[in-house]
Amino acid sequence: MWRCLASPRRAICRGALQPWLEPAFPRRRGLLTLAIETSCDDTSVALLERRDHKSGPVTAKLHFHDKITANNEAYGGIHPIVALESHQASLGLLVQRALLQLPRFSDGDRIPASTDILWGSDDGQLRKKPDFISVTRGPGMRSNLSVGLGIAKGLALAWNIPLVGVHHMQAHALTPRLMTALAAKPSTLNPDFPFLSLLASGGHTILISSNSLVEHRVLASTGDIAIGEYLDKSARLIVPADLLTSPYGKALEAVAFPNGEASYNYSPPKNRGQELERRESKWGWILGPPLGESRGGRSVRRMEYSFSGLLTAVQRATGAVSPTGVTPVPKALNDEERQVLAKEAQRVAFEHLCGRLILHLKDLPPAEREQVSTVVVSGGVAANQFLRHVFRSMLDVQGFDKVDLIFPPVQFCTDNAAMIAWAGCEMYAAGWRSDLTIGPIRKWSLDPEAEDGGILGVSGNQKV
């Protein structure tokens, strides 16, 4: 049976909107977006509402945010088919749950125009329709991205609303601005451009200068494997099988520091020379600093990250590989060696990360160096508490104690749809839209000077 709301001026029947329904007040201030993230093995959906206030602050509210991670534990890493099937099974259910959390029109609201309404079937309440859809377009696994893009395009078509294809790494860089907007006492968006960003995850290790919403200049990137991949593979060699659970980096941190910060006992290098010191353990293995020496014996100062050599050193320390080429026999590590190796595997990698940041800061002219007040560290690896301790300690002891380090809360460091929603809101507010021809992008640079032109260099974006 139809349920109707009646008044002397209009009658609105649940289940159908009459074409003569008179327009209501102008569109509400603020933006409501439904966001989808499927770039890797996390299926995530969010409902975010952003509001711009006359007094200046920008606020945001998460009406819904959840994710489901594919179970890859049997494969020691991300299995493409398992991740794809998880997206296909999970995304529709998450979207369905999100729709039930769309904001309702309150009793004090005037009945809006039909284009503002999404009918709610659970409780007979009128619910606000999103203003646009945000979806991860890349970079990432092409087949997985296609699942999210397909659903996003379908929703945009069904609701007749715009679509915004989001750059995954841009969203990581903008996450601290989302945190400011979500704060109980909002202020102007922080950090303001320009600022430095280090994006560290399972697939990326990039130090960038974020100069504007769409201009992110790459200062350093990995020449081989990403730090997240290095940590995961090291964890599988060091962490006992009964303690090895996903995420592997977290398991490695737990083995290294069973008592948390009380276990750190960390002395930061005071200069480049100390950072490059090779420390031999009492078991005979050495985890040498990456890019510590060139063939001529001089330290390498080029702006680049490298973790493959460090992984090889971990493999040799655990007996997973042999320098002589003989078939290796894995070592039986005792508890002490296991803990020390887990700590060193992280210390050397994190000092390498921060060391390149410090190299960049020291190479800047004094006037430009003074302008660097904020460094954002985001991505899944930024959830590591020891990394946060190393960065703060190294910057302080090497003269950059006034540089503010910003780490998003742990739940927003890993892949999530909330950051996609926020990046979508920033792009939408700046006038950017994506057409329905957009497809997934496996590799996509942030840098406008890159061959692909960066965020705006790919096809399918228009400014309105």
Side-chain angles (χ1 to χ4, degrees):
M1 178 180 295
W2 300 110
R3 294 182 57 197
C4 297
L5 302 174
S7 75
R9 300 186 60 190
R10 64 172 69 87
I12 302 176
C13 294
R14 177 173 167 74
L17 288 173
Q18 303 301 327
W20 43 263
L21 180 64
E22 69 179 52
F25 55 87
R27 297 282 289 179
R28 62 188 179 276
R29 288 191 305 152
L31 295 172
L32 176 66
T33 186
L34 186 147
I36 295 172
E37 153 64 14
T38 60
S39 63
C40 193
D41 63 338
D42 290 312
T43 311
S44 186
V45 174
L47 278 174
L48 181 78
E49 192 165 14
R50 164 180 163 150
R51 286 190 175 271
D52 292 73
H53 302 271
K54 290 182 178 180
S55 58
V58 176
T59 62
K61 179 179 181 180
L62 268 174
H63 295 280
F64 176 86
H65 186 216
D66 201 1
K67 73 176 178 180
I68 298 173
T69 302
N71 186 358
N72 292 287
E73 290 188 7
Y75 305 97
I78 297 173
H79 192 292
I81 296 177
V82 171
L84 174 62
E85 291 177 344
S86 179
H87 289 310
Q88 292 169 334
S90 304
L91 183 54
L93 298 175
L94 288 176
V95 170
Q96 186 179 52
R97 289 173 52 200
L99 295 183
L100 298 178
Q101 301 301 317
L102 282 165
R104 300 172 181 173
F105 287 103
S106 66
D107 293 338
D109 287 338
R110 293 179 56 192
I111 298 299
S114 61
T115 54
D116 288 331
I117 295 175
L118 178 73
W119 291 99
S121 59
D122 60 326
D123 53 9
Q125 296 291 323
L126 297 177
R127 295 182 181 272
K128 300 176 182 179
K129 186 175 70 175
D131 295 288
F132 66 100
I133 302 294
S134 303
V135 60
T136 306
R137 186 182 181 186
M141 303 170 73
R142 193 186 303 273
S143 58
N144 296 359
L145 290 166
S146 294
V147 177
L149 281 166
I151 295 292
K153 289 181 182 181
L155 292 172
L157 281 168
W159 292 338
N160 192 28
I161 58 176
L163 177 73
V164 175
V166 173
H167 193 296
H168 181 87
M169 303 310 289
Q170 176 198 29
H172 272 303
L174 297 176
T175 298
R177 292 164 64 86
L178 166 63
M179 298 300 100
T180 302
L182 288 173
K185 296 180 179 180
S187 60
T188 55
L189 287 178
N190 182 49
D192 196 8
F193 299 108
F195 58 88
L196 297 181
S197 294
L198 176 63
L199 309 179
S201 68
H204 303 273
T205 311
I206 310 173
L207 179 64
I208 62 177
S209 176
S210 296
N211 302 314
S212 73
L213 177 61
V214 295
E215 294 182 23
H216 305 267
R217 183 167 60 91
V218 176
L219 304 174
S221 61
T222 179
D224 39 63
I225 63 174
I227 186 171
E229 181 180 349
Y230 156 75
L231 291 172
D232 284 351
K233 290 182 175 179
S234 296
R236 292 199 291 271
L237 295 171
I238 299 172
V239 179
D242 59 332
L243 300 178
L244 186 61
T245 57
S246 183
Y248 299 135
K250 185 176 181 179
L252 184 67
E253 185 180 5
V255 167
F257 309 109
N259 298 317
E261 189 173 351
S263 308
Y264 288 170
N265 191 28
Y266 175 69
S267 298
K270 297 179 181 180
N271 51 52
R272 176 78 172 148
Q274 290 186 6
E275 181 189 333
L276 297 178
E277 287 180 356
R278 295 170 59 86
R279 306 181 187 178
E280 183 175 355
S281 71
K282 69 179 185 179
W283 298 276
W285 46 259
I286 299 175
L287 302 187
L291 303 180
E293 292 184 354
S294 66
R295 291 182 178 177
R298 301 176 61 185
S299 65
V300 177
R301 293 181 58 87
R302 66 178 180 270
M303 292 297 293
E304 182 181 334
Y305 291 116
S306 176
F307 297 98
S308 60
L310 190 54
L311 177 60
T312 299
V314 172
Q315 291 170 334
R316 289 176 177 173
T318 57
V321 299
S322 170
T324 63
V326 179
T327 302
V329 178
K331 290 175 56 178
L333 302 177
N334 60 40
D335 290 343
E336 181 188 4
E337 184 178 6
R338 193 185 306 276
Q339 181 179 355
V340 172
L341 182 56
K343 177 180 177 178
E344 285 297 283
Q346 294 173 84
R347 178 192 66 80
V348 178
F350 298 159
E351 287 184 356
H352 178 50
L353 273 184
C354 192
R356 261 37 191 181
L357 167 62
I358 291 174
L359 275 181
H360 170 70
L361 292 174
K362 289 184 175 179
D363 286 343
L364 289 174
E368 292 185 32
R369 191 184 309 154
E370 288 296 321
Q371 294 177 357
V372 179
S373 60
T374 304
V375 176
V376 174
V377 186
S378 61
V381 178
N384 188 297
Q385 297 299 313
F386 183 55
L387 176 145
R388 300 180 180 206
H389 182 79
V390 168
F391 267 58
R392 185 70 272 165
S393 300
M394 284 186 67
L395 287 171
D396 287 352
V397 79
Q398 297 202 34
F400 298 101
D401 53 301
K402 294 182 180 179
V403 173
D404 188 19
L405 275 175
I406 298 180
F407 296 89
V410 172
Q411 66 268 33
F412 293 107
C413 283
T414 55
D415 294 349
N416 64 88
M419 71 178 189
I420 303 301
W422 178 258
C425 282
E426 291 227 41
M427 292 293 286
Y428 188 94
W432 293 103
R433 311 287 186 271
S434 301
D435 60 45
L436 294 175
T437 67
I438 64 170
I441 304 176
R442 187 173 70 88
K443 293 185 177 181
W444 187 5
S445 175
L446 278 170
D447 198 327
E449 300 299 321
E451 186 176 346
D452 63 6
I455 295 172
L456 299 182
V458 298
S459 62
N461 292 324
Q462 315 96 32
K463 194 165 188 179
V464 298

